[in-house]
Amino acid sequence: MSTFYWSAKTFVVAPATRLLFRPWVKGRAHVPAEGPAILASNHLSVSDSVFMPAMLDRQVHFLAKQEYFTGPGPRGWVTKKFFQATNQLPMDRSGGQASLRSLESGLECLREGKLLGIYPEGTRSPDGRLHRGKIGVAKLALASQAPVVPIAMIGTDRVQPIGRTLPAPRRLGMIFGEPLDFSGRTESATDHRVLREVTDEIMEAIRRLSGQEYVDVYAADVKSGRVPAPPRPGRD
């Protein structure tokens, strides 16, 4: 754990999180005390990457969107330095070889016995619902044979909804589920059907923990308008 990360977490982030947001936590013991693991979480707020690691003893290395490392101007420089100092890994979400190279950095992190945080939805939920997962999480799980810990962040969308600069002091929660073991399917690591099955199992585990409504479309497609947001039950 880097000195900056440990100091910031121990003396600033964790105390502030406990004081201002009074987080409740269930299942923390499901996170391995040592060795690699994939922490696969729903994604409701940009602050998810702050709140969840603050409640764990071990450092979490997140696959963070590449835009956090390439922003313009002084603000972009500060953001880049912060993410680099906290050992976050840039994730290219454009697809193809660029995305595969980004996943390789996550795989290397797991090979080194670290905790890797990932949001299988690929981006924050635009409507509070749980969206279709991308298969990158399955590729990492099968290639590394690391356990996958499903996580539900609760109420962080009310603490810091999309468009809000600073989080509002409100209580939030998180639930860590039992680790999922996919080591028996490693020989099918290149089979798209198996990758989709593994991803869907992970998303179902997150859904059970979070209680969110699941919609079988990608969050990024809803955000971009490429596909309309599915109607909620009971609405026209």
Side-chain angles (χ1 to χ4, degrees):
M1 187 180 295
S2 70
T3 301
F4 174 84
Y5 183 94
W6 182 86
S7 300
K9 174 181 174 179
T10 303
F11 298 113
V12 180
V13 179
T17 297
R18 292 189 175 95
L19 176 66
L20 297 175
F21 306 103
R22 298 173 295 121
W24 55 267
V25 183
K26 295 182 179 179
R28 184 161 28 200
H30 290 312
V31 179
E34 58 183 21
I38 298 169
L39 307 184
S41 176
N42 62 338
H43 197 16
L44 298 173
S45 167
V46 67
S47 293
D48 292 336
S49 300
V50 176
F51 294 139
M52 185 260 281
M55 295 296 101
L56 297 176
D57 293 332
R58 297 180 63 188
Q59 181 173 0
V60 181
H61 299 256
F62 274 97
L63 284 175
K65 66 179 182 180
Q66 185 169 311
E67 288 80 357
Y68 288 139
F69 299 84
T70 58
R75 182 176 179 180
W77 184 86
V78 171
T79 300
K80 174 183 176 180
K81 291 302 180 182
F82 173 79
F83 276 84
Q84 289 178 335
T86 53
N87 295 327
Q88 308 304 291
L89 308 172
M91 176 67 191
D92 191 315
R93 302 182 296 177
S94 61
Q97 291 301 314
S99 293
L100 288 176
R101 286 193 295 271
S102 296
L103 288 176
E104 183 61 33
S105 64
L107 183 58
E108 183 61 29
C109 177
L110 292 167
R111 288 171 177 156
E112 294 173 356
K114 299 174 181 178
L115 294 179
L116 180 69
I118 188 171
Y119 301 113
E121 292 172 275
T123 187
R124 282 174 288 169
S125 170
D127 52 21
R129 296 184 285 184
L130 187 67
H131 291 74
R132 182 178 174 88
K134 296 189 174 183
I135 62 173
V137 64
K139 290 180 178 179
L140 287 169
L142 297 187
S144 68
Q145 300 187 45
V148 179
V149 179
I151 301 170
M153 301 299 295
I154 310 293
T156 56
D157 52 338
R158 295 190 294 273
V159 170
Q160 190 175 13
I162 294 175
R164 186 183 180 95
T165 303
L166 297 175
R170 299 185 59 160
R171 198 167 194 207
L172 58 90
M174 59 197 79
I175 305 172
F176 297 87
E178 294 185 10
L180 305 174
D181 180 7
F182 299 106
S183 58
R185 305 189 212 178
T186 54
E187 293 183 359
S188 303
T190 59
D191 187 327
H192 188 275
R193 179 184 60 81
V194 174
L195 292 172
R196 172 45 56 192
E197 288 176 355
V198 169
T199 303
D200 290 345
E201 288 180 33
I202 294 170
M203 299 310 294
E204 173 59 17
I206 295 173
R207 186 202 64 78
R208 288 197 302 268
L209 295 174
S210 69
Q212 290 170 279
E213 176 191 345
Y214 177 79
V215 290
D216 196 27
V217 296
Y218 293 117
D221 288 341
V222 174
K223 281 185 175 182
S224 68
R226 287 191 292 269
V227 299
R232 294 181 182 273
R235 300 185 182 183
D236 294 333

